[in-house]
Amino acid sequence: MSTKNPEMQRILSLPVRLAPSAAQAQVYADKWTSELERTRVANEMPLRPIQGEALEELHHVLAQHLKDPFVYGPVGQMGSVGVGHGKTLMTFLMPEVVRRLRGSVRPMLIVPAPLVTKTRVAHGRASRFYRYPVPEIVSMSIISHMNHSNIFERIAPDIIIIDESHQFGGDSTRTKRLQRWIMENPETILVSLSGTLTDKSITNYRHLIELTHRHSTPIPDDEYDVELWQSLLDVGGTPNGNARKALVPLVNWHRAQVGQRPVSSASEVNTDAARAAYQYRMRSLPGFVGTDDVGCQASLLIRPWRVELPSSWREAADEFTDDGMWEKPGGEEVVDAFEASRARAQLSSGYYTRWIWPERDCPGPWYGDEYAGCTRAETCLCR
């Protein structure tokens, strides 16, 4: 496709990698299962096709990079893998793929804080069936903490794998520390995995794909171009004529790839056409793997649990608001919605509180005068 925009020329000239067929992906899964599994135990966790594809693609990309490191290309992997497809096992086995190419590896696995325990349990189970380097499992919150600003320097990873990477926002502390480490150590491999990475805006993962693919990113470098792309690709974007015109070459490139006629004018470039073209461009990049769905193949059954209110509570609630005279059991008048809500919360718990003074210490006159004074003041203020 002819275009005068140098960034668009760069994006359209990137290599095209077509996803393997289901049969070929299964071949990859069988291959890596055989190569990585422990031989003395029966494997209860054979690899799935998407797992085999991810490992094979990572091996291919890194082999090409080691062969000619000065050629622009991905130094890692971007994965849009849905829930239930086995991302966790992939994160354990990827360092072993790297080790076979480089000879040694220091893996760092970053997961959300609530998943740390679950990931360690999964590691214990997976290690029974597969051989792989033990990763340093770190929570995202630790990376953001002010007391762990040197965590990357302390672990010194040469491969960093991020599960649920959509939580690495563009301006977050954890993202800046990750970017600084990779910029200072450019041979570090980054694997970014998430099932909801591309749901909202290209700016949510632009910085991540720049770290995994370096100069082979499918997103423009120029900020003005990025804004034009956002208006057509992002959820809730407001496209204009300039945006449609800017994406005509990408749409026509995509149509040529799939055997469709090109658009003749910018007015034919709508949101659907632009998103289809961009998705094809990104998914056909070397170093990108993905599934067509973001959820697991399972049904969600919700059963309502209805709680019948006891008659005593109903009677107490009715008495509380009887004739519009809201009073607590001790006789105090309820004067606002907050106090009424607090009184209802007590009633719903099956009890209420009121002052009960010992007879010898009873401040009856004081309490009566104080209560009467508050009531008079309240009456005057309400008028």
Side-chain angles (χ1 to χ4, degrees), residues 52-64:
E53 178 187 348
L55 297 178
E56 182 69 20
E57 182 60 17
L58 180 63
H59 185 274
H60 172 76
V61 163
L62 295 182
Q64 292 296 112

Side-chain angles (χ1 to χ4, degrees), residues 288-362:
F288 185 95
V289 295
T291 55
D292 293 331
D293 61 282
V294 298
C296 61
Q297 301 301 315
S299 59
L300 178 63
L301 181 61
I302 300 177
R303 293 189 179 94
W305 182 27
R306 305 186 185 279
V307 180
E308 294 295 332
L309 298 177
S311 58
S312 58
W313 188 91
R314 291 180 179 275
E315 292 172 2
D318 293 340
E319 185 178 347
F320 177 60
T321 57
D322 188 28
D323 297 328
M325 299 296 292
W326 289 15
E327 289 187 354
K328 295 181 182 178
E332 302 96 328
E333 185 177 351
V334 176
V335 297
D336 56 32
F338 175 74
E339 196 169 350
S341 175
R342 193 163 59 178
R344 282 182 175 275
Q346 281 196 10
L347 288 172
S348 67
S349 299
Y351 72 97
Y352 60 85
T353 58
R354 62 186 178 90
W355 287 13
I356 301 178
W357 297 90
E359 187 175 350
R360 57 187 175 87
D361 296 329
C362 179

Side-chain angles (χ1 to χ4, degrees), residues 363-379:
W366 170 84
Y367 181 69
D369 293 343
E370 188 268 345
Y371 179 71
C374 288
T375 303
R376 283 197 299 272
E378 181 186 321
T379 301

Side-chain angles (χ1 to χ4, degrees), residues 19 39 53 66 69 83 90 102 138 157 178 210 214 231 235 284 297 352-353:
T39 57
E53 178 187 348
L66 291 174
V83 177
M90 288 162 53
R102 287 188 170 181
V138 181
L178 173 69
E210 286 175 352
R214 311 297 165 92
S231 67
V235 175
S284 64
Q297 301 301 315
Y352 60 85
T353 58

Side-chain angles (χ1 to χ4, degrees), residues 253-260 280:
W253 173 87
H254 170 236
R255 294 196 167 203
Q257 294 289 322
V258 297
Q260 297 178 354
Y280 187 92

Side-chain angles (χ1 to χ4, degrees), residues 55-360:
L55 297 178
E56 182 69 20
E57 182 60 17
L58 180 63
H59 185 274
H60 172 76
V61 163
L62 295 182
Q64 292 296 112
H65 176 73
L66 291 174
K67 184 183 299 183
D68 193 353
F70 298 102
V71 174
Y72 290 152
V75 190
Q77 187 172 107
M78 176 73 70
S80 180
V81 182
V83 177
H85 290 281
K87 289 196 302 292
T88 302
L89 183 56
M90 288 162 53
T91 62
F92 296 150
L93 299 183
M94 284 176 172
E96 176 62 18
V97 174
V98 177
R99 189 194 65 79
R100 294 180 175 224
L101 290 168
R102 287 188 170 181
S104 63
V105 68
R106 298 181 303 278
M108 180 180 186
L109 174 57
I110 303 174
V111 298
L115 298 182
V116 170
T117 301
K118 172 181 173 292
T119 303
R120 286 175 177 159
V121 171
H123 158 61
R125 182 166 185 262
S127 61
R128 293 165 49 199
F129 307 110
Y130 290 98
R131 303 183 306 272
Y132 56 84
V134 178
E136 185 80 28
I137 301 174
V138 181
S139 73
M140 294 180 183
S141 58
I142 289 293
I143 297 176
S144 303
H145 200 280
M146 60 181 298
N147 293 337
H148 297 277
S149 58
N150 65 336
I151 189 167
F152 285 105
E153 289 77 8
R154 179 170 57 82
I155 299 175
D158 54 10
I159 174 172
I160 301 172
I161 305 171
I162 308 176
D163 194 5
E164 306 298 342
S165 58
H166 59 275
Q167 298 190 32
F168 267 69
D171 295 327
S172 64
T173 301
R174 62 179 69 131
T175 300
K176 292 177 181 177
R177 291 175 178 174
L178 173 69
Q179 290 173 322
R180 184 184 65 199
W181 172 258
I182 294 181
M183 288 177 64
E184 295 174 353
N185 302 271
E187 287 303 307
T188 303
I189 299 166
L190 177 65
V191 177
S192 170
L193 300 174
S194 176
T196 57
L197 193 65
T198 60
D199 279 4
K200 294 181 180 179
S201 173
I202 58 175
T203 57
N204 289 352
Y205 58 91
R206 174 189 177 190
H207 53 287
L208 291 174
I209 202 167
E210 286 175 352
L211 296 177
T212 60
H213 282 66
R214 311 297 165 92
H215 294 279
S216 294
T217 170
I219 301 175
D221 285 336
D222 185 79
E223 294 298 329
Y224 177 71
D225 289 337
V226 172
E227 291 179 3
L228 292 178
W229 284 43
Q230 280 184 267
S231 67
L232 268 168
L233 301 176
D234 286 3
V235 175
T238 54
N240 54 43
N242 290 334
R244 294 187 175 91
K245 184 177 180 180
L247 283 167
V248 165
L250 181 63
V251 171
N252 281 338
W253 173 87
H254 170 236
R255 294 196 167 203
Q257 294 289 322
V258 297
Q260 297 178 354
R261 69 168 185 83
V263 298
S264 56
S265 65
S267 60
E268 296 182 55
V269 179
N270 55 27
T271 300
D272 292 339
R275 288 178 178 172
Y278 173 74
Q279 185 181 44
Y280 187 92
R281 174 64 284 187
M282 185 171 68
R283 284 179 168 268
S284 64
L285 281 176
F288 185 95
V289 295
T291 55
D292 293 331
D293 61 282
V294 298
C296 61
Q297 301 301 315
S299 59
L300 178 63
L301 181 61
I302 300 177
R303 293 189 179 94
W305 182 27
R306 305 186 185 279
V307 180
E308 294 295 332
L309 298 177
S311 58
S312 58
W313 188 91
R314 291 180 179 275
E315 292 172 2
D318 293 340
E319 185 178 347
F320 177 60
T321 57
D322 188 28
D323 297 328
M325 299 296 292
W326 289 15
E327 289 187 354
K328 295 181 182 178
E332 302 96 328
E333 185 177 351
V334 176
V335 297
D336 56 32
F338 175 74
E339 196 169 350
S341 175
R342 193 163 59 178
R344 282 182 175 275
Q346 281 196 10
L347 288 172
S348 67
S349 299
Y351 72 97
Y352 60 85
T353 58
R354 62 186 178 90
W355 287 13
I356 301 178
W357 297 90
E359 187 175 350
R360 57 187 175 87

